[in-house]
Amino acid sequence: MAFIALATLTAFFNLDMLGDYYASWGVPGLLRALISALAGVFLPFVVLPLGAVSIGSAIENGTVRVLLSKPLRRRDFFLGTLLSDISAVFIGATLYLATLVAYALHLGAPLSKTLELGLAFGSLLFLSLVQYLALGYLLSAFMRGRKGLLASLLLAFAVPISVVAVYPSFDVLARKALFVPSPLLQHIVLGMAVSPKSELPPKPVGEILNYPGNLALLVVPTLVYLAVSWLKFRRADLR
Amino acid sequence: MIRIENLVKTYKDVKALDGLNLEVKKGQIYGFLGPNGAGKSTTILSTLGLIFPQEGRIELFGEEVFRDGKYDEGRLVKAKARIGYMPEHATLWDFLTPVQTLSVIADAFGIPKAEKEKRINELLDLVGLKDARRRKVGKFSKGMRQRLLLAQALINDPDLLILDEPMTGLDPTGIAEFKEIIREQRRAGKTVFFSSHILAHVEEVCDTVGVIVKGKLRVEDSLDNIKREFLRKLATRLSWRQINPWTSAVLGGRSRRLGRISTG
Ligand SMILES: Nc1ncnc2c1ncn2[C@@H]1O[C@H](COP(=O)(O)OP(=O)(O)O)[C@@H](O)[C@H]1O
Ligand SMILES: [Mg+2]
């Protein structure tokens, strides 16, 4: 709930800035702005902690003990929690995107182009956020309580920053960054692809996804994180 | 109903259960008594598959659900359908009302809608939450939360009721009402297994008392016999230190009073 509210709020806060971008560069400028400035940075900061405390708090406050004393399997609890978290992420991302698309249309952006970019960006954003969620699950499988939460916030900062520091130029970053499972970097790259102002020529979303392994990197680490979290949860002491 | 053999559970460096043996028979109201940290919650969580002991065996309703570090989840799920469990500390969903909370719990048992509503009303009446049925649980007092936890444990009309420190934190009226509910279960032919660190809680309700100290069952008998045994040992002038392991557990809240009786 809080997540959804925050997502909507962020979208609104940045309408002004987006107006400027749109005035200067049109739809691509608009998307460039929102991709790199907000979605890539802010939403993961909500989603990663969400994942990190989701199962952990259920163990801490005892909800999981009540539920699993009923004729349910551990698998049912894990999947149920995961599904409800994913739908929260989905609703948040959708609201966020809907606000932006509506605003772009309000500014007079061409309908089909806006929808196309919006949809492509929306699905990438969703996959990235789910990956952050899964990373949060992974963290909570090894760390309980505040420690997990802190670590998750640290990680949200540290991973992208260290990667940006390692790569010598944006061009290399754009080609290689997607190999690092960090949604922030994926957003940066995506942002560059639709931007007319960065050093890179604007690229269609399809081409970005055609970098070898890009789509896989949005999905495979997610699956790995979730698998490890599940294996750990399956044999965890729930007290 | 419950049979536990040689159960061993070690948390990192703490040996919480040290070869525990215990049996709860059909129709018994079994008081599981022991000082804080004796291993009561560890035992209870093990019977429900919520933690993983390292060694031993657990049977529920005559079926082996745990052996040497592994649960048989299929059998466990079947057994859990007939069990009601009230945890020691737990918060349910603060943003739901008691009716909504119990409805979620009932769905885990697949109780049909019409029956569900009837059952929820009965239970809220039974635990004394009828007037608060439409209020958010987040605003509840500790005692009210406790009552709701009991209600959720009874939702499936369980054959076996497992309660972890159910009376801790209740006022005297609450305790009396609680004991009445347990007696009600006995009349209905159910089995109840509940833990406490206070002797007064098991008095007047339990037909059998087991005392656990440092992860082992030290004594198991009727409450009267346990008290008599205690006085006898005192009479033969065993030192306090020698009888301490179980006296502290048995006497709990009223050790001072009994102490005065026996020395006076
Ligand atoms: N998660 C844990 N990690 C380490 N030690 C624990 C943990 N949970 C319980 N213990 C220890 O196990 C022992 C038994 O605990 P418990 O079963 O909760 O006792 P009781 O319910 O009788 O008060 C205690 O010494 C307690 O400190
Ligand atoms: Mg306990």
Side-chain angles (χ1 to χ4, degrees):
Chain A
M1 289 304 241
F3 164 69
I4 294 167
L6 275 172
T8 327
L9 212 66
T10 334
F12 273 112
F13 271 140
N14 288 278
L15 288 183
D16 266 1
M17 191 185 86
L18 295 180
D20 291 347
Y21 269 87
Y22 182 73
S24 319
W25 300 306
V27 179
L30 188 74
L31 280 166
R32 165 83 176 95
L34 80 245
I35 287 163
S36 56
L38 318 164
V41 183
F42 186 77
L43 293 184
F45 271 83
V46 181
V47 171
L48 192 61
L50 173 78
V53 302
S54 176
I55 286 184
S57 70
I59 295 177
E60 216 119 291
N61 67 29
T63 317
V64 66
R65 290 187 284 284
V66 173
L67 287 175
L68 284 181
S69 70
K70 311 306 170 206
L72 298 173
R73 289 163 180 267
R74 285 196 180 209
R75 190 185 57 209
D76 304 333
F77 176 82
F78 188 85
L79 285 179
T81 311
L82 181 62
L83 277 180
S84 76
D85 285 345
I86 289 181
S87 26
V89 168
F90 181 78
I91 294 171
T94 306
L95 278 178
Y96 176 75
L97 216 72
T99 320
L100 288 165
V101 167
Y103 191 64
L105 292 176
H106 167 73
L107 291 174
L111 180 69
S112 63
K113 180 84 173 156
T114 310
L115 284 183
E116 185 200 319
L117 278 173
L119 208 67
F121 170 64
S123 1
L124 290 174
L125 173 67
F126 175 67
L127 287 178
S128 308
L129 290 178
V130 170
Q131 186 162 106
Y132 261 131
L133 185 74
L135 193 58
Y137 271 53
L138 185 68
L139 273 175
S140 79
F142 293 93
M143 273 176 264
R144 289 261 179 91
R146 291 238 172 82
K147 225 163 71 184
L149 192 64
L150 263 166
S152 75
L153 289 172
L154 223 70
L155 206 70
F157 267 122
V159 172
I161 287 175
S162 59
V163 171
V164 171
V166 163
Y167 286 122
S169 76
F170 273 123
D171 192 45
V172 181
L173 182 66
R175 254 180 264 287
K176 298 262 180 68
L178 292 185
F179 291 98
V180 181
S182 158
L184 175 56
L185 293 176
Q186 289 149 6
H187 290 307
I188 292 175
V189 172
L190 194 65
M192 284 192 252
V194 296
S195 167
K197 277 288 273 182
S198 72
E199 294 101 282
L200 289 171
K203 288 196 179 85
V205 177
E207 196 182 318
I208 293 283
L209 286 177
N210 279 338
Y211 278 141
N214 280 358
L215 202 54
L217 269 157
L218 278 171
V219 175
V220 174
T222 306
L223 297 178
V224 172
Y225 299 160
L226 288 177
V228 174
S229 312
W230 159 244
L231 289 177
K232 196 89 169 99
F233 178 77
R234 199 163 70 120
R235 292 199 48 98
D237 283 349
L238 303 178
R239 73 169 300 177
Chain B
M1 304 294 269
I2 305 177
R3 183 200 292 275
I4 293 175
E5 289 170 10
N6 292 317
L7 205 61
V8 174
K9 171 64 186 174
T10 314
Y11 298 103
K12 286 180 196 122
D13 46 357
V14 184
K15 199 155 203 181
L17 295 181
D18 188 8
L20 179 85
N21 288 288
L22 183 132
E23 189 177 359
V24 180
K25 299 194 184 80
K26 191 168 174 0
Q28 268 183 341
I29 307 295
Y30 192 111
F32 193 36
L33 212 51
N36 285 322
K40 302 183 295 294
S41 299
T42 302
T43 307
I44 287 175
L45 293 170
S46 303
T47 61
L48 293 158
L50 295 171
I51 59 172
F52 283 80
Q54 284 81 12
E55 290 168 38
R57 234 173 67 81
I58 301 173
E59 273 179 24
L60 293 173
F61 307 107
E63 295 251 11
E64 183 178 278
V65 295
F66 175 86
R67 181 174 204 121
D68 297 335
K70 275 210 196 78
Y71 285 97
D72 182 324
E73 223 183 1
R75 285 184 192 168
L76 193 62
V77 166
K78 258 205 272 166
K80 286 193 291 187
R82 298 172 60 191
I83 292 178
Y85 163 62
M86 175 177 168
E88 184 176 13
H89 313 284
T91 52
L92 291 165
W93 305 278
D94 281 351
F95 52 91
L96 296 184
T97 66
V99 173
Q100 292 164 333
T101 305
L102 293 178
S103 177
V104 171
I105 302 286
D107 288 342
F109 290 96
I111 299 173
K113 193 161 184 294
E115 193 186 325
K116 186 166 90 175
E117 274 170 30
K118 189 165 149 274
R119 184 87 189 130
I120 289 175
N121 282 330
E122 281 171 9
L123 280 176
L124 289 176
D125 201 15
L126 181 75
V127 300
L129 284 179
K130 208 170 190 178
D131 296 332
R133 60 205 300 276
R134 302 257 173 239
R135 277 169 55 194
K136 296 260 188 293
V137 176
K139 300 240 158 67
F140 276 21
S141 68
K142 163 101 172 107
M144 291 164 86
R145 285 165 190 269
Q146 205 79 339
R147 288 159 192 264
L148 182 60
L149 280 177
L150 176 65
Q152 66 79 27
L154 290 166
I155 192 95
N156 57 331
D157 191 17
D159 296 326
L160 171 62
L161 199 53
I162 300 177
L163 314 169
D164 198 354
E165 307 259 359
M167 288 178 251
T168 305
L170 288 185
D171 58 20
T173 326
I175 291 179
E177 284 170 12
F178 217 102
K179 287 184 174 176
E180 190 46 44
I181 291 173
I182 291 178
R183 278 186 217 107
E184 188 74 40
Q185 294 291 310
R186 174 177 22 217
R187 269 174 248 135
K190 312 286 187 178
T191 310
V192 182
F193 177 61
F194 78 93
S195 75
S196 180
H197 63 281
I198 297 172
L199 176 73
H201 290 170
V202 302
E203 272 185 325
E204 301 156 21
V205 268
C206 294
D207 44 51
T208 312
V209 173
V211 179
I212 179 176
V213 180
K214 291 195 180 140
K216 276 197 172 112
L217 202 68
R218 299 292 155 127
V219 199
E220 188 185 65
D221 211 331
S222 73
L223 188 59
D224 284 345
N225 286 347
I226 284 184
K227 279 190 191 163
R228 204 172 300 133
E229 180 71 357
F230 164 71
L231 292 175
R232 191 186 63 74
K233 285 201 177 174
L234 204 67
T236 55
R237 293 173 179 263
L238 274 172
S239 74
W240 271 97
R241 197 184 298 275
Q242 274 168 289
I243 48 175
N244 196 37
W246 59 279
T247 52
S248 57
V250 173
L251 297 176
R254 46 167 65 190
S255 56
R256 237 174 297 138
R257 208 175 90 202
L258 257 186
R260 218 182 304 127
I261 294 169
S262 51
T263 49

